[in-house]
Amino acid sequence: MVKAMSPEFEGLFEPDEATPLERLRERLATWAALALLMAFFFVTIALWGYAAWWAMMKLIGLFA
């Protein structure tokens, strides 16, 4: 029912067909964005961990 109501199937305009290279580029762009986000989060977590470790060492040094 929905297909029959779609302008694409009524012949008003041609469906957009992506070439294999365009699909590959989209997949690579998606994975690259995810990889950059993961790297950012890993670095951020590592820096917060280092900051927490440094603060604990300073606190232990104050009471030692």
Side-chain angles (χ1 to χ4, degrees):
M1 187 73 152
V2 175
K3 279 187 177 182
M5 294 172 59
S6 172
E8 185 175 316
F9 291 97
E10 292 175 5
L12 296 179
F13 59 88
E14 292 294 321
D16 188 22
E17 293 183 17
T19 65
L21 285 177
E22 288 173 335
R23 289 194 301 268
L24 176 64
R25 185 194 59 79
E26 288 176 5
R27 284 197 306 267
L28 287 176
T30 300
W31 283 109
L34 288 173
L36 285 172
L37 281 171
M38 292 297 288
F40 171 76
F41 286 129
F42 284 151
V43 169
T44 302
I45 290 168
L47 288 174
W48 275 105
Y50 177 74
W53 174 82
W54 181 84
M56 287 296 293
M57 293 298 110
K58 291 295 180 182
L59 283 173
I60 290 170
L62 285 176
F63 296 110

